[in-house]
């Protein structure tokens, strides 16, 4: 009983409104954040820096993109057949 | 959900749906008024012994039956546009839910923290408990907090489907390769039912949607187990 009265440990976070994608079609929102994460990680690791700032893009695309899409894209990246520019 | 033989809209569970019901009543009243006026005039025309064979022009009445319909149309358009823009208002979602259509079930993903994903199949009729609704119940309901703006991203894994929940005023197409956003908010706890609204094959009528809105505190307790 006491446990349910405790406040949650962190505040729930979900991707905020992105003014670049104000309309109903959020496909590009998901894809753009996925690309941004991949590019961020690639650039940070090339410069030998910590990729912690890239976590924002990771959280946004995980929240927005269907997991099947993400798995499909990750497989394509592994196979070298991903069509986006990373 | 709809009562047996229900003709009208379901009770609203969200503010947008309340506005839509009010607009529907407004537009329907205008339709009733115009229809009854026309029917009355037809009955007058058919039951008169008077004739008039020499009409040359009718400037006054032409003016009236042009201006008056224009004003009526404006009276319909203004509330309609108001609600249209209201549905597009800037929103700060509390939670993101993904609803993905398949043949013939919905799958839901809550990915803000840990990946929670489950499928929601129709409950077959022979498994229903007494009091449950035929062709509307599902095995796993979608639990959501009430009084919170929820962003629902709708897509499909195969063919076109449509995610609809009438009490919340939501109907959004599920298109493969596209992510459609809808905002959902319920003012009270409860179960809200919907059905797939785009023909998608043999079991199109058998892939319902059930949203279970619970108190915010209960949802936060449930959710806290997700982001420990």
């Amino acid at each position: 009983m006491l446990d349910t009265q405790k406040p949650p440990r962190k505040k729930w976070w979900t991707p905020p409104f992105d003014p670049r994608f104000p309309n109903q079609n959020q496909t590009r929102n998901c894809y753009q954040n996925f690309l941004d994460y991949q590019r961020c990680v690639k650039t940070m690791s090339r410069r030998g820096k910590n990729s912690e700032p890239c976590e924002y893009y990771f959280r946004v695309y995980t929240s927005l993109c269907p997991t099947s899409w993400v798995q499909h894209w990750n497989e394509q990246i592994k196979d070298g057949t991903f069509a986006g520019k990373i | 959900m709809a009562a047996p033989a229900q003709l009208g809209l379901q009770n609203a569970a969200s503010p947008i749906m309340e506005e839509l019901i009010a607009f529907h009543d407004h537009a329907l009243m205008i339709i009733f008024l115009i229809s009854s006026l026309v029917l009355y005039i037809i009955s007058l025309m058919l039951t008169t012994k008077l004739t008039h064979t020499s009409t040359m022009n009718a400037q006054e009445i032409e003016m009236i039956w042009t201006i008056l319909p224009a004003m009526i149309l404006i009276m319909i358009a203004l509330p309609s546009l108001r609600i249209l823009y209201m549905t597009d208002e800037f929103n700060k979602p509390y939670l993101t839910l993904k609803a993905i259509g398949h043949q013939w079930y919905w799958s839901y993903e809550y990915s803000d923290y840990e990946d929670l994903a489950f499928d929601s199949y129709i409950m077959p009729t022979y498994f229903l408990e007494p009091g449950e609704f035929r062709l509307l119940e599902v095995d796993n309901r979608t639990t959501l907090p009430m009084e919170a703006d929820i962003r629902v991203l709708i897509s499909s894994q195969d063919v076109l489907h449509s995610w609809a929940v009438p009490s919340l005023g939501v109907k959004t197409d599920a298109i493969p390769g596209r992510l459609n956003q809808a905002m959902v908010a319920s003012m009270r706890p409860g179960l809200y039912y919907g059905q797939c609204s785009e023909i998608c094959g043999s079991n199109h009528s058998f892939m319902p949607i059930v949203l279970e809105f619970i108190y915010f505190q209960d949802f936060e307790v449930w959710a806290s187990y997700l982001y420990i």
Side-chain angles (χ1 to χ4, degrees):
Chain A
M1 184 60 185
L2 220 58
D3 262 2
T4 61
Q5 286 166 347
K6 268 197 279 202
R9 286 171 220 211
K10 288 195 296 249
K11 216 170 156 306
W12 185 279
W13 184 92
T14 207
F17 170 71
D18 190 338
R20 297 175 298 169
F21 314 103
N23 298 321
Q24 191 185 43
N25 186 359
Q26 296 287 299
T27 321
R28 194 73 203 184
N29 193 353
C30 140
Y31 186 62
Q32 192 61 52
N33 280 287
F34 180 80
L35 286 179
D36 290 344
Y37 174 72
Q38 303 296 331
R39 291 172 188 165
C40 176
V41 161
K42 185 173 171 195
T43 312
M44 292 302 220
S45 56
R46 202 189 55 206
R47 292 183 191 169
K49 291 193 185 151
N50 185 16
S51 69
E52 205 188 309
C54 308
E55 290 313 302
Y56 174 80
Y57 299 121
F58 177 80
R59 292 197 62 193
V60 173
Y61 89 69
T62 331
S63 286
L64 297 181
C65 302
T67 43
S68 60
W69 292 10
V70 174
Q71 284 164 0
H72 185 57
W73 291 334
N74 282 333
E75 273 169 24
Q76 284 182 333
I77 290 175
K78 214 162 42 162
D79 294 339
T81 55
F82 185 69
K85 189 161 161 240
I86 295 180
Chain B
M1 55 149 267
Q6 177 170 333
L7 294 176
L9 297 165
Q10 294 181 26
N11 290 341
S14 78
I16 299 279
M17 192 57 198
E18 282 183 349
E19 299 278 351
L20 284 169
I21 290 174
F23 173 71
H24 172 264
D25 292 344
H26 167 74
L28 193 62
M29 183 54 72
I30 294 177
I31 290 171
F32 283 160
L33 287 172
I34 295 173
S35 307
S36 43
L37 176 68
V38 169
L39 268 172
Y40 174 63
I41 292 175
I42 289 173
S43 68
L44 281 182
M45 295 287 146
L46 293 175
T47 54
T48 184
K49 288 199 175 63
L50 304 167
T51 59
H52 184 58
T53 54
S54 59
T55 305
M56 292 307 292
N57 61 26
Q59 285 302 101
E60 300 82 4
I61 194 170
E62 293 272 353
M63 192 75 92
I64 293 171
W65 69 32
T66 307
I67 303 290
L68 202 56
M71 282 169 34
I72 293 174
L73 286 174
I74 291 173
M75 270 174 47
I76 297 174
L78 289 177
S80 176
L81 288 171
R82 183 181 139 263
I83 299 175
L84 184 66
Y85 278 85
M86 201 183 282
T87 59
D88 262 352
E89 269 175 0
F90 167 79
N91 47 63
K92 277 183 65 179
Y94 171 76
L95 166 69
T96 300
L97 169 74
K98 282 171 265 177
I100 299 172
H102 307 253
Q103 281 177 316
W104 287 279
Y105 63 97
W106 292 95
S107 68
Y108 298 100
E109 295 173 16
Y110 299 69
S111 308
D112 289 334
Y113 284 92
E114 298 299 318
D115 279 331
L116 167 66
F118 56 87
D119 297 336
S120 185
Y121 279 85
I122 186 175
M123 183 72 82
T125 308
Y126 46 83
F127 284 139
L128 289 174
E129 303 284 323
E132 287 188 334
F133 304 118
R134 190 181 74 95
L135 305 185
L136 283 174
E137 300 287 355
V138 295
D139 53 359
N140 300 316
R141 294 179 190 148
T142 309
T143 308
L144 293 167
M146 59 177 265
E147 291 177 341
D149 287 329
I150 294 155
R151 174 204 269 134
V152 187
L153 294 168
I154 298 149
S155 185
S156 165
Q157 199 67 359
D158 35 39
V159 299
L160 293 181
H161 300 270
S162 186
W163 197 80
V165 183
S167 328
L168 300 169
V170 173
K171 183 181 293 180
T172 309
D173 281 356
I175 299 164
R178 180 179 166 118
L179 213 50
N180 273 336
Q181 177 176 286
M183 293 304 293
V184 151
S186 172
M187 301 178 299
R188 44 198 166 83
L191 295 173
Y192 303 113
Y193 294 87
Q195 294 175 289
C196 178
S197 299
E198 182 67 37
I199 186 79
C200 53
S202 55
N203 283 2
H204 156 68
S205 315
F206 309 113
M207 43 184 292
I209 296 142
V210 183
L211 300 182
E212 182 176 348
F213 280 89
I214 60 176
Y215 289 110
F216 212 81
Q217 302 93 290
D218 298 330
F219 183 82
E220 298 227 294
V221 167
W222 172 82
S224 65
Y225 293 110
L226 282 180
Y227 55 84
I228 295 168

PDB file of all heavy atoms in Angstrom, chain B residues 181-213:
ATOM      1  N   GLN B 181      -0.301  10.392 -37.093  1.00  0.00           N
ATOM      2  CA  GLN B 181      -0.435  10.782 -35.695  1.00  0.00           C
ATOM      3  C   GLN B 181      -1.862  11.181 -35.382  1.00  0.00           C
ATOM      4  O   GLN B 181      -2.494  11.922 -36.136  1.00  0.00           O
ATOM      5  CB  GLN B 181       0.492  11.972 -35.406  1.00  0.00           C
ATOM      6  CG  GLN B 181       0.375  12.488 -33.989  1.00  0.00           C
ATOM      7  CD  GLN B 181       1.375  13.585 -33.723  1.00  0.00           C
ATOM      8  OE1 GLN B 181       2.565  13.335 -33.567  1.00  0.00           O
ATOM      9  NE2 GLN B 181       0.912  14.815 -33.680  1.00  0.00           N
ATOM     10  N   ALA B 182      -2.372  10.704 -34.237  1.00  0.00           N
ATOM     11  CA  ALA B 182      -3.668  11.138 -33.730  1.00  0.00           C
ATOM     12  C   ALA B 182      -3.495  11.451 -32.258  1.00  0.00           C
ATOM     13  O   ALA B 182      -2.679  10.816 -31.587  1.00  0.00           O
ATOM     14  CB  ALA B 182      -4.713  10.046 -33.911  1.00  0.00           C
ATOM     15  N   MET B 183      -4.240  12.424 -31.745  1.00  0.00           N
ATOM     16  CA  MET B 183      -4.150  12.723 -30.314  1.00  0.00           C
ATOM     17  C   MET B 183      -5.397  12.186 -29.641  1.00  0.00           C
ATOM     18  O   MET B 183      -6.508  12.363 -30.135  1.00  0.00           O
ATOM     19  CB  MET B 183      -4.034  14.227 -30.074  1.00  0.00           C
ATOM     20  CG  MET B 183      -2.751  14.838 -30.566  1.00  0.00           C
ATOM     21  SD  MET B 183      -1.251  14.087 -29.898  1.00  0.00           S
ATOM     22  CE  MET B 183      -1.344  14.549 -28.192  1.00  0.00           C
ATOM     23  N   VAL B 184      -5.204  11.559 -28.511  1.00  0.00           N
ATOM     24  CA  VAL B 184      -6.308  10.925 -27.798  1.00  0.00           C
ATOM     25  C   VAL B 184      -6.260  11.392 -26.351  1.00  0.00           C
ATOM     26  O   VAL B 184      -5.191  11.446 -25.751  1.00  0.00           O
ATOM     27  CB  VAL B 184      -6.151   9.389 -27.894  1.00  0.00           C
ATOM     28  CG1 VAL B 184      -6.745   8.700 -26.714  1.00  0.00           C
ATOM     29  CG2 VAL B 184      -6.747   8.870 -29.171  1.00  0.00           C
ATOM     30  N   ALA B 185      -7.417  11.773 -25.810  1.00  0.00           N
ATOM     31  CA  ALA B 185      -7.464  12.164 -24.402  1.00  0.00           C
ATOM     32  C   ALA B 185      -8.840  11.809 -23.884  1.00  0.00           C
ATOM     33  O   ALA B 185      -9.840  12.117 -24.523  1.00  0.00           O
ATOM     34  CB  ALA B 185      -7.207  13.653 -24.248  1.00  0.00           C
ATOM     35  N   SER B 186      -8.889  11.142 -22.735  1.00  0.00           N
ATOM     36  CA  SER B 186     -10.184  10.791 -22.156  1.00  0.00           C
ATOM     37  C   SER B 186     -10.390  11.570 -20.875  1.00  0.00           C
ATOM     38  O   SER B 186      -9.462  11.757 -20.093  1.00  0.00           O
ATOM     39  CB  SER B 186     -10.236   9.297 -21.863  1.00  0.00           C
ATOM     40  OG  SER B 186     -11.399   8.991 -21.138  1.00  0.00           O
ATOM     41  N   MET B 187     -11.624  12.019 -20.663  1.00  0.00           N
ATOM     42  CA  MET B 187     -11.903  12.803 -19.465  1.00  0.00           C
ATOM     43  C   MET B 187     -12.226  11.911 -18.277  1.00  0.00           C
ATOM     44  O   MET B 187     -12.282  12.388 -17.150  1.00  0.00           O
ATOM     45  CB  MET B 187     -13.106  13.718 -19.709  1.00  0.00           C
ATOM     46  CG  MET B 187     -12.894  14.662 -20.856  1.00  0.00           C
ATOM     47  SD  MET B 187     -14.309  15.694 -21.164  1.00  0.00           S
ATOM     48  CE  MET B 187     -15.568  14.508 -21.567  1.00  0.00           C
ATOM     49  N   ARG B 188     -12.541  10.649 -18.559  1.00  0.00           N
ATOM     50  CA  ARG B 188     -12.930   9.778 -17.451  1.00  0.00           C
ATOM     51  C   ARG B 188     -12.386   8.376 -17.676  1.00  0.00           C
ATOM     52  O   ARG B 188     -12.054   8.007 -18.791  1.00  0.00           O
ATOM     53  CB  ARG B 188     -14.446   9.748 -17.301  1.00  0.00           C
ATOM     54  CG  ARG B 188     -15.164   9.608 -18.585  1.00  0.00           C
ATOM     55  CD  ARG B 188     -16.632  10.038 -18.432  1.00  0.00           C
ATOM     56  NE  ARG B 188     -17.233  10.211 -19.735  1.00  0.00           N
ATOM     57  CZ  ARG B 188     -17.729   9.221 -20.469  1.00  0.00           C
ATOM     58  NH1 ARG B 188     -17.720   7.999 -20.001  1.00  0.00           N
ATOM     59  NH2 ARG B 188     -18.248   9.459 -21.652  1.00  0.00           N
ATOM     60  N   PRO B 189     -12.302   7.580 -16.567  1.00  0.00           N
ATOM     61  CA  PRO B 189     -11.821   6.203 -16.737  1.00  0.00           C
ATOM     62  C   PRO B 189     -12.908   5.356 -17.373  1.00  0.00           C
ATOM     63  O   PRO B 189     -14.082   5.723 -17.386  1.00  0.00           O
ATOM     64  CB  PRO B 189     -11.551   5.757 -15.299  1.00  0.00           C
ATOM     65  CG  PRO B 189     -12.438   6.604 -14.461  1.00  0.00           C
ATOM     66  CD  PRO B 189     -12.611   7.902 -15.169  1.00  0.00           C
ATOM     67  N   GLY B 190     -12.518   4.238 -17.935  1.00  0.00           N
ATOM     68  CA  GLY B 190     -13.516   3.344 -18.513  1.00  0.00           C
ATOM     69  C   GLY B 190     -12.972   2.580 -19.693  1.00  0.00           C
ATOM     70  O   GLY B 190     -11.802   2.689 -20.054  1.00  0.00           O
ATOM     71  N   LEU B 191     -13.857   1.805 -20.314  1.00  0.00           N
ATOM     72  CA  LEU B 191     -13.502   1.004 -21.477  1.00  0.00           C
ATOM     73  C   LEU B 191     -14.133   1.630 -22.706  1.00  0.00           C
ATOM     74  O   LEU B 191     -15.329   1.897 -22.723  1.00  0.00           O
ATOM     75  CB  LEU B 191     -14.037  -0.421 -21.318  1.00  0.00           C
ATOM     76  CG  LEU B 191     -13.441  -1.243 -20.187  1.00  0.00           C
ATOM     77  CD1 LEU B 191     -14.198  -2.557 -20.058  1.00  0.00           C
ATOM     78  CD2 LEU B 191     -11.980  -1.527 -20.462  1.00  0.00           C
ATOM     79  N   TYR B 192     -13.320   1.866 -23.727  1.00  0.00           N
ATOM     80  CA  TYR B 192     -13.825   2.459 -24.958  1.00  0.00           C
ATOM     81  C   TYR B 192     -13.534   1.518 -26.105  1.00  0.00           C
ATOM     82  O   TYR B 192     -12.408   1.083 -26.300  1.00  0.00           O
ATOM     83  CB  TYR B 192     -13.204   3.843 -25.184  1.00  0.00           C
ATOM     84  CG  TYR B 192     -13.483   4.746 -24.015  1.00  0.00           C
ATOM     85  CD1 TYR B 192     -12.470   5.184 -23.186  1.00  0.00           C
ATOM     86  CD2 TYR B 192     -14.792   5.106 -23.704  1.00  0.00           C
ATOM     87  CE1 TYR B 192     -12.735   5.971 -22.092  1.00  0.00           C
ATOM     88  CE2 TYR B 192     -15.073   5.893 -22.605  1.00  0.00           C
ATOM     89  CZ  TYR B 192     -14.039   6.325 -21.791  1.00  0.00           C
ATOM     90  OH  TYR B 192     -14.309   7.101 -20.708  1.00  0.00           O
ATOM     91  N   TYR B 193     -14.583   1.220 -26.866  1.00  0.00           N
ATOM     92  CA  TYR B 193     -14.485   0.213 -27.914  1.00  0.00           C
ATOM     93  C   TYR B 193     -14.452   0.843 -29.292  1.00  0.00           C
ATOM     94  O   TYR B 193     -15.042   1.892 -29.538  1.00  0.00           O
ATOM     95  CB  TYR B 193     -15.689  -0.739 -27.832  1.00  0.00           C
ATOM     96  CG  TYR B 193     -15.719  -1.566 -26.580  1.00  0.00           C
ATOM     97  CD1 TYR B 193     -16.309  -1.088 -25.415  1.00  0.00           C
ATOM     98  CD2 TYR B 193     -15.143  -2.834 -26.548  1.00  0.00           C
ATOM     99  CE1 TYR B 193     -16.331  -1.848 -24.266  1.00  0.00           C
ATOM    100  CE2 TYR B 193     -15.165  -3.604 -25.406  1.00  0.00           C
ATOM    101  CZ  TYR B 193     -15.758  -3.102 -24.262  1.00  0.00           C
ATOM    102  OH  TYR B 193     -15.772  -3.858 -23.118  1.00  0.00           O
ATOM    103  N   GLY B 194     -13.761   0.185 -30.193  1.00  0.00           N
ATOM    104  CA  GLY B 194     -13.748   0.630 -31.578  1.00  0.00           C
ATOM    105  C   GLY B 194     -13.519  -0.572 -32.463  1.00  0.00           C
ATOM    106  O   GLY B 194     -13.227  -1.663 -31.988  1.00  0.00           O
ATOM    107  N   GLN B 195     -13.673  -0.360 -33.767  1.00  0.00           N
ATOM    108  CA  GLN B 195     -13.460  -1.457 -34.708  1.00  0.00           C
ATOM    109  C   GLN B 195     -12.641  -0.980 -35.886  1.00  0.00           C
ATOM    110  O   GLN B 195     -12.625   0.209 -36.211  1.00  0.00           O
ATOM    111  CB  GLN B 195     -14.813  -1.996 -35.181  1.00  0.00           C
ATOM    112  CG  GLN B 195     -15.594  -2.641 -34.045  1.00  0.00           C
ATOM    113  CD  GLN B 195     -16.975  -3.071 -34.471  1.00  0.00           C
ATOM    114  OE1 GLN B 195     -17.847  -2.258 -34.699  1.00  0.00           O
ATOM    115  NE2 GLN B 195     -17.174  -4.370 -34.573  1.00  0.00           N
ATOM    116  N   CYS B 196     -11.994  -1.898 -36.550  1.00  0.00           N
ATOM    117  CA  CYS B 196     -11.215  -1.563 -37.739  1.00  0.00           C
ATOM    118  C   CYS B 196     -12.133  -0.941 -38.777  1.00  0.00           C
ATOM    119  O   CYS B 196     -13.230  -1.443 -39.025  1.00  0.00           O
ATOM    120  CB  CYS B 196     -10.556  -2.823 -38.315  1.00  0.00           C
ATOM    121  SG  CYS B 196      -9.631  -2.497 -39.821  1.00  0.00           S
ATOM    122  N   SER B 197     -11.712   0.150 -39.385  1.00  0.00           N
ATOM    123  CA  SER B 197     -12.605   0.913 -40.254  1.00  0.00           C
ATOM    124  C   SER B 197     -12.118   1.046 -41.685  1.00  0.00           C
ATOM    125  O   SER B 197     -12.446   2.013 -42.371  1.00  0.00           O
ATOM    126  CB  SER B 197     -12.826   2.309 -39.649  1.00  0.00           C
ATOM    127  OG  SER B 197     -13.414   2.170 -38.384  1.00  0.00           O
ATOM    128  N   GLU B 198     -11.316   0.088 -42.136  1.00  0.00           N
ATOM    129  CA  GLU B 198     -10.947   0.089 -43.549  1.00  0.00           C
ATOM    130  C   GLU B 198     -10.875  -1.353 -43.978  1.00  0.00           C
ATOM    131  O   GLU B 198     -10.195  -2.159 -43.315  1.00  0.00           O
ATOM    132  CB  GLU B 198      -9.596   0.784 -43.749  1.00  0.00           C
ATOM    133  CG  GLU B 198      -9.134   0.888 -45.187  1.00  0.00           C
ATOM    134  CD  GLU B 198      -9.993   1.811 -46.023  1.00  0.00           C
ATOM    135  OE1 GLU B 198     -10.444   2.840 -45.502  1.00  0.00           O
ATOM    136  OE2 GLU B 198     -10.221   1.512 -47.205  1.00  0.00           O
ATOM    137  N   ILE B 199     -11.569  -1.699 -45.042  1.00  0.00           N
ATOM    138  CA  ILE B 199     -11.659  -3.088 -45.464  1.00  0.00           C
ATOM    139  C   ILE B 199     -10.265  -3.671 -45.666  1.00  0.00           C
ATOM    140  O   ILE B 199      -9.403  -3.087 -46.331  1.00  0.00           O
ATOM    141  CB  ILE B 199     -12.546  -3.216 -46.733  1.00  0.00           C
ATOM    142  CG1 ILE B 199     -12.764  -4.676 -47.088  1.00  0.00           C
ATOM    143  CG2 ILE B 199     -11.939  -2.468 -47.903  1.00  0.00           C
ATOM    144  CD1 ILE B 199     -13.790  -5.342 -46.269  1.00  0.00           C
ATOM    145  N   CYS B 200     -10.039  -4.823 -45.039  1.00  0.00           N
ATOM    146  CA  CYS B 200      -8.675  -5.356 -45.027  1.00  0.00           C
ATOM    147  C   CYS B 200      -8.650  -6.864 -45.174  1.00  0.00           C
ATOM    148  O   CYS B 200      -7.695  -7.509 -44.763  1.00  0.00           O
ATOM    149  CB  CYS B 200      -7.972  -4.941 -43.735  1.00  0.00           C
ATOM    150  SG  CYS B 200      -8.878  -5.362 -42.243  1.00  0.00           S
ATOM    151  N   GLY B 201      -9.722  -7.448 -45.733  1.00  0.00           N
ATOM    152  CA  GLY B 201      -9.681  -8.889 -45.925  1.00  0.00           C
ATOM    153  C   GLY B 201     -10.839  -9.573 -45.230  1.00  0.00           C
ATOM    154  O   GLY B 201     -11.791  -8.946 -44.780  1.00  0.00           O
ATOM    155  N   SER B 202     -10.713 -10.879 -45.101  1.00  0.00           N
ATOM    156  CA  SER B 202     -11.875 -11.660 -44.638  1.00  0.00           C
ATOM    157  C   SER B 202     -12.254 -11.347 -43.201  1.00  0.00           C
ATOM    158  O   SER B 202     -13.425 -11.378 -42.856  1.00  0.00           O
ATOM    159  CB  SER B 202     -11.600 -13.147 -44.811  1.00  0.00           C
ATOM    160  OG  SER B 202     -10.399 -13.475 -44.153  1.00  0.00           O
ATOM    161  N   ASN B 203     -11.279 -11.069 -42.328  1.00  0.00           N
ATOM    162  CA  ASN B 203     -11.603 -10.830 -40.920  1.00  0.00           C
ATOM    163  C   ASN B 203     -11.563  -9.359 -40.538  1.00  0.00           C
ATOM    164  O   ASN B 203     -11.288  -9.008 -39.398  1.00  0.00           O
ATOM    165  CB  ASN B 203     -10.644 -11.630 -40.022  1.00  0.00           C
ATOM    166  CG  ASN B 203     -11.018 -13.087 -39.984  1.00  0.00           C
ATOM    167  OD1 ASN B 203     -11.956 -13.499 -40.657  1.00  0.00           O
ATOM    168  ND2 ASN B 203     -10.278 -13.867 -39.233  1.00  0.00           N
ATOM    169  N   HIS B 204     -11.894  -8.521 -41.478  1.00  0.00           N
ATOM    170  CA  HIS B 204     -11.909  -7.078 -41.231  1.00  0.00           C
ATOM    171  C   HIS B 204     -12.868  -6.716 -40.106  1.00  0.00           C
ATOM    172  O   HIS B 204     -12.601  -5.820 -39.304  1.00  0.00           O
ATOM    173  CB  HIS B 204     -12.287  -6.371 -42.535  1.00  0.00           C
ATOM    174  CG  HIS B 204     -12.889  -5.029 -42.359  1.00  0.00           C
ATOM    175  ND1 HIS B 204     -12.172  -3.954 -41.873  1.00  0.00           N
ATOM    176  CD2 HIS B 204     -14.125  -4.547 -42.591  1.00  0.00           C
ATOM    177  CE1 HIS B 204     -12.950  -2.896 -41.830  1.00  0.00           C
ATOM    178  NE2 HIS B 204     -14.137  -3.217 -42.256  1.00  0.00           N
ATOM    179  N   SER B 205     -13.993  -7.441 -40.013  1.00  0.00           N
ATOM    180  CA  SER B 205     -14.987  -7.128 -38.969  1.00  0.00           C
ATOM    181  C   SER B 205     -14.591  -7.689 -37.620  1.00  0.00           C
ATOM    182  O   SER B 205     -15.304  -7.494 -36.635  1.00  0.00           O
ATOM    183  CB  SER B 205     -16.336  -7.743 -39.344  1.00  0.00           C
ATOM    184  OG  SER B 205     -16.612  -7.499 -40.683  1.00  0.00           O
ATOM    185  N   PHE B 206     -13.478  -8.413 -37.567  1.00  0.00           N
ATOM    186  CA  PHE B 206     -13.131  -9.147 -36.346  1.00  0.00           C
ATOM    187  C   PHE B 206     -11.769  -8.719 -35.807  1.00  0.00           C
ATOM    188  O   PHE B 206     -10.993  -9.548 -35.347  1.00  0.00           O
ATOM    189  CB  PHE B 206     -13.179 -10.647 -36.616  1.00  0.00           C
ATOM    190  CG  PHE B 206     -14.477 -11.074 -37.261  1.00  0.00           C
ATOM    191  CD1 PHE B 206     -14.491 -11.554 -38.560  1.00  0.00           C
ATOM    192  CD2 PHE B 206     -15.681 -10.948 -36.583  1.00  0.00           C
ATOM    193  CE1 PHE B 206     -15.687 -11.917 -39.169  1.00  0.00           C
ATOM    194  CE2 PHE B 206     -16.879 -11.305 -37.187  1.00  0.00           C
ATOM    195  CZ  PHE B 206     -16.883 -11.795 -38.477  1.00  0.00           C
ATOM    196  N   MET B 207     -11.472  -7.440 -35.859  1.00  0.00           N
ATOM    197  CA  MET B 207     -10.260  -6.942 -35.220  1.00  0.00           C
ATOM    198  C   MET B 207     -10.575  -5.653 -34.463  1.00  0.00           C
ATOM    199  O   MET B 207     -10.264  -4.552 -34.913  1.00  0.00           O
ATOM    200  CB  MET B 207      -9.109  -6.730 -36.213  1.00  0.00           C
ATOM    201  CG  MET B 207      -9.452  -6.085 -37.511  1.00  0.00           C
ATOM    202  SD  MET B 207      -8.015  -6.017 -38.615  1.00  0.00           S
ATOM    203  CE  MET B 207      -6.936  -4.880 -37.812  1.00  0.00           C
ATOM    204  N   PRO B 208     -11.232  -5.811 -33.298  1.00  0.00           N
ATOM    205  CA  PRO B 208     -11.647  -4.622 -32.558  1.00  0.00           C
ATOM    206  C   PRO B 208     -10.510  -4.002 -31.751  1.00  0.00           C
ATOM    207  O   PRO B 208      -9.406  -4.550 -31.674  1.00  0.00           O
ATOM    208  CB  PRO B 208     -12.729  -5.155 -31.615  1.00  0.00           C
ATOM    209  CG  PRO B 208     -12.353  -6.564 -31.390  1.00  0.00           C
ATOM    210  CD  PRO B 208     -11.692  -7.037 -32.643  1.00  0.00           C
ATOM    211  N   ILE B 209     -10.845  -2.831 -31.194  1.00  0.00           N
ATOM    212  CA  ILE B 209      -9.893  -2.064 -30.391  1.00  0.00           C
ATOM    213  C   ILE B 209     -10.561  -1.799 -29.054  1.00  0.00           C
ATOM    214  O   ILE B 209     -11.721  -1.370 -29.025  1.00  0.00           O
ATOM    215  CB  ILE B 209      -9.613  -0.708 -31.084  1.00  0.00           C
ATOM    216  CG1 ILE B 209      -8.936  -0.933 -32.429  1.00  0.00           C
ATOM    217  CG2 ILE B 209      -8.773   0.196 -30.204  1.00  0.00           C
ATOM    218  CD1 ILE B 209      -9.396   0.018 -33.493  1.00  0.00           C
ATOM    219  N   VAL B 210      -9.860  -2.058 -27.951  1.00  0.00           N
ATOM    220  CA  VAL B 210     -10.417  -1.712 -26.639  1.00  0.00           C
ATOM    221  C   VAL B 210      -9.387  -0.899 -25.894  1.00  0.00           C
ATOM    222  O   VAL B 210      -8.262  -1.357 -25.667  1.00  0.00           O
ATOM    223  CB  VAL B 210     -10.779  -2.957 -25.800  1.00  0.00           C
ATOM    224  CG1 VAL B 210     -11.412  -2.530 -24.484  1.00  0.00           C
ATOM    225  CG2 VAL B 210     -11.708  -3.866 -26.563  1.00  0.00           C
ATOM    226  N   LEU B 211      -9.752   0.324 -25.525  1.00  0.00           N
ATOM    227  CA  LEU B 211      -8.874   1.172 -24.726  1.00  0.00           C
ATOM    228  C   LEU B 211      -9.383   1.156 -23.297  1.00  0.00           C
ATOM    229  O   LEU B 211     -10.570   1.360 -23.051  1.00  0.00           O
ATOM    230  CB  LEU B 211      -8.875   2.609 -25.249  1.00  0.00           C
ATOM    231  CG  LEU B 211      -8.412   2.810 -26.675  1.00  0.00           C
ATOM    232  CD1 LEU B 211      -8.433   4.281 -27.021  1.00  0.00           C
ATOM    233  CD2 LEU B 211      -7.022   2.249 -26.886  1.00  0.00           C
ATOM    234  N   GLU B 212      -8.467   0.904 -22.354  1.00  0.00           N
ATOM    235  CA  GLU B 212      -8.844   0.886 -20.945  1.00  0.00           C
ATOM    236  C   GLU B 212      -8.179   2.075 -20.276  1.00  0.00           C
ATOM    237  O   GLU B 212      -6.970   2.076 -20.050  1.00  0.00           O
ATOM    238  CB  GLU B 212      -8.381  -0.432 -20.316  1.00  0.00           C
ATOM    239  CG  GLU B 212      -8.760  -0.561 -18.863  1.00  0.00           C
ATOM    240  CD  GLU B 212      -8.372  -1.921 -18.282  1.00  0.00           C
ATOM    241  OE1 GLU B 212      -8.030  -2.828 -19.057  1.00  0.00           O
ATOM    242  OE2 GLU B 212      -8.400  -2.049 -17.060  1.00  0.00           O
ATOM    243  N   PHE B 213      -8.976   3.098 -19.988  1.00  0.00           N
ATOM    244  CA  PHE B 213      -8.416   4.274 -19.335  1.00  0.00           C
ATOM    245  C   PHE B 213      -8.522   4.105 -17.832  1.00  0.00           C
ATOM    246  O   PHE B 213      -9.587   3.799 -17.316  1.00  0.00           O
ATOM    247  CB  PHE B 213      -9.149   5.545 -19.774  1.00  0.00           C
ATOM    248  CG  PHE B 213      -8.683   6.034 -21.105  1.00  0.00           C
ATOM    249  CD1 PHE B 213      -9.287   5.590 -22.267  1.00  0.00           C
ATOM    250  CD2 PHE B 213      -7.621   6.918 -21.215  1.00  0.00           C
ATOM    251  CE1 PHE B 213      -8.842   6.020 -23.505  1.00  0.00           C
ATOM    252  CE2 PHE B 213      -7.175   7.356 -22.443  1.00  0.00           C
ATOM    253  CZ  PHE B 213      -7.790   6.899 -23.600  1.00  0.00           C
TER     254      PHE B 213
END
